[in-house]
Amino acid sequence: MANSDDGPRYPGGTGVRDDVTADVGERSGSSDFDVDDERETGRDSLRVHVGWEIVLLLAAGAVGALLFIGHRSAVSGGNLRELLVFAAAVGLLATAAGMSLRAGVPNLALGPVAVASGYFLVTHADRGLAATAGVTALLALGGGVAIGLVVAVLHVPGWAASLAGGLAVAGWVVATHGDPVKVDLSYDPRTQAVYWFAAFAGTSILAGLLGTVRPIRSALGRNRPTADPALRRGGSAAFIAFLALAVSTLLAGVGGMVLAMGSAEVPPNDGFALTGLALGAALLGGTSVFGRRGGVFGTVLAVLLIVLVIRYVEALDWRVSRFTVAGAAVAVGLLISRLVEALGTPADDDSDDGPDPLFSAASTSTTGTWSTPEQPGWTSQLPARQIDDTWAGDQRWGNR
């Protein structure tokens, strides 16, 4: 074991911290070790989320007011019911995206799964709508389970495994139908648009509230990288990643069925525009791209803002692709992630249970550089982390 004076003392370096974690792994007899420290307890400040959600509320209200004043027909009557169903469908995908992001395993298969679910429902509804919807949901869940097993067993990034799955599903959809499929079902969700939107909003807000509970927040963020991302994070982290991918893919399937039932036709497309809209809404709502951190009402407000912007663009007859809207949402969402990470750390970053027992007091210089510890060896502790304050066919399916 290296002496405390050998090498740098920072997470992910080659000095004390690495020696300690390696030694813990050796003494535990397993390569899958979990070392909790104050950075992983879920003690995040929610003030930044409250402030940003107020901004989202004002922005959505402003776009809605512009639509109501200049294009009232676009947000009234049948058009309003259609907009609410579209928002509910995109919102279910955004909730799924937020769940996978918080778990540190971004799910890029959401859009293709949604399109495939809608296509399967429409083409097999003659066997009974309820029964077909149940089978479709099970198929979507099965796809999520397969992706989750790959991530949990191989410990590979969720975005890579889900991208492979999404490409496979998109290939099946594009290869099996070349023309739009007409929707002729016994049920139209537009007749209960308010209830569908309320179901999405309730699901998203409940998930956000559960995410404020410290043990749940901490457990959900077990895959959040803190050092070498290739290191296995243990059985609990693998299970959380598996569960997040399975449930998020199921939600995507439900969202796709809602979107299909509320459409006149299901056009042939790969669904990745929907993936972009879902991820964009989740990030824009304040969910951190690094995992764990997120707000309560952010996803609902971000979805409202995005669908209102889409409707406003359509009312102005601008030729703007869904991919463009999704790309803009993701880009702004990344900036918000940087803000959340910079301001989401509490001023007192120590755990309520006291400092990491593997380390004791150390001092740092006022210039922010690493100073010589007062005591060498196992009694040295990492300096407090410095907060980073830098900012580093049917059109509803995403076609123009």
Side-chain angles (χ1 to χ4, degrees), residues 2-394:
N3 185 274
S4 62
D5 292 332
D6 298 333
R9 299 173 182 82
Y10 51 85
T14 57
V16 174
R17 185 73 180 199
D18 292 328
D19 293 339
V20 171
T21 52
D23 183 68
V24 170
E26 292 169 2
R27 287 187 279 116
S28 67
S30 171
S31 61
D32 290 354
F33 56 89
D34 290 322
V35 181
D36 286 321
D37 61 25
E38 63 273 10
R39 295 169 302 168
E40 300 185 76
T41 58
R43 293 185 66 239
D44 303 322
S45 174
L46 296 179
R47 288 177 296 180
V48 61
H49 295 287
V50 174
W52 176 243
E53 287 169 7
I54 292 174
V55 173
L56 285 175
L57 178 61
L58 295 175
V63 178
L66 288 174
L67 270 168
F68 187 77
I69 294 172
H71 308 275
R72 185 170 302 184
S73 61
V75 287
S76 60
N79 287 332
L80 177 59
R81 291 191 291 272
E82 179 182 305
L83 184 68
L84 288 175
V85 171
F86 179 54
V90 173
L92 287 171
L93 269 73
T95 302
M99 179 184 300
S100 66
L101 282 169
R102 283 204 184 204
V105 283
N107 191 344
L108 301 186
L110 299 176
V113 168
V115 173
S117 297
Y119 174 68
F120 185 86
L121 177 70
V122 170
T123 55
H124 294 81
D126 56 342
R127 305 175 185 179
L129 184 60
T132 304
V135 172
T136 305
L138 288 176
L139 290 173
L141 179 61
V145 167
I147 296 172
L149 285 175
V150 171
V151 172
V153 174
L154 299 182
H155 187 68
V156 294
W159 67 264
S162 61
L163 177 60
L167 289 170
V169 173
W172 174 77
V173 172
V174 174
T176 52
H177 73 296
D179 298 320
V181 179
K182 298 294 183 180
V183 177
D184 183 17
L185 303 175
S186 59
Y187 174 71
D188 187 346
R190 287 172 290 190
T191 60
Q192 297 178 315
V194 174
Y195 298 108
W196 280 107
F197 182 82
F200 141 64
T203 301
S204 178
I205 293 171
L206 177 60
L209 287 172
L210 290 175
T212 64
V213 179
R214 180 177 168 187
I216 297 177
R217 195 180 186 91
S218 177
L220 192 59
R222 294 295 293 159
N223 270 303
R224 179 182 168 96
T226 57
D228 184 354
L231 290 176
R232 291 185 179 274
R233 301 283 291 160
S236 61
F239 176 74
I240 291 296
F242 166 80
L243 193 63
L245 287 166
V247 175
S248 64
T249 308
L250 173 61
L251 282 176
V254 175
M257 287 188 282
V258 172
L259 188 59
M261 289 187 294
S263 304
E265 60 183 21
V266 179
N269 72 88
D270 54 32
F272 282 105
L274 285 174
T275 294
L277 289 174
L279 286 174
L283 292 171
L284 191 62
T287 305
S288 174
V289 73
F290 300 103
R292 193 181 73 206
R293 292 187 166 120
V296 177
F297 303 97
T299 299
V300 176
L301 295 172
V303 167
L304 272 176
L305 177 59
I306 288 175
V307 298
L308 286 173
V309 167
I310 290 174
R311 178 55 58 91
Y312 188 60
V313 166
E314 291 173 348
L316 294 176
D317 199 26
W318 291 354
R319 297 184 60 83
V320 178
S321 169
R322 297 285 187 273
F323 285 100
T324 303
V325 176
V330 171
V332 176
L334 292 176
L335 294 176
I336 300 307
S337 279
R338 187 66 267 164
L339 179 66
V340 166
E341 291 297 324
L343 302 180
T345 304
D348 179 11
D349 201 27
D350 294 330
S351 171
D352 290 343
D353 299 327
D356 191 330
L358 296 177
F359 301 93
S360 60
S363 61
T364 59
S365 67
T366 57
T367 60
T369 58
W370 301 97
S371 65
T372 303
E374 295 178 356
Q375 298 180 2
W378 285 100
T379 58
S380 62
Q381 181 190 14
L382 291 171
R385 184 180 61 178
Q386 300 296 317
I387 299 176
D388 180 7
D389 60 354
T390 59
W391 284 52
D394 190 323

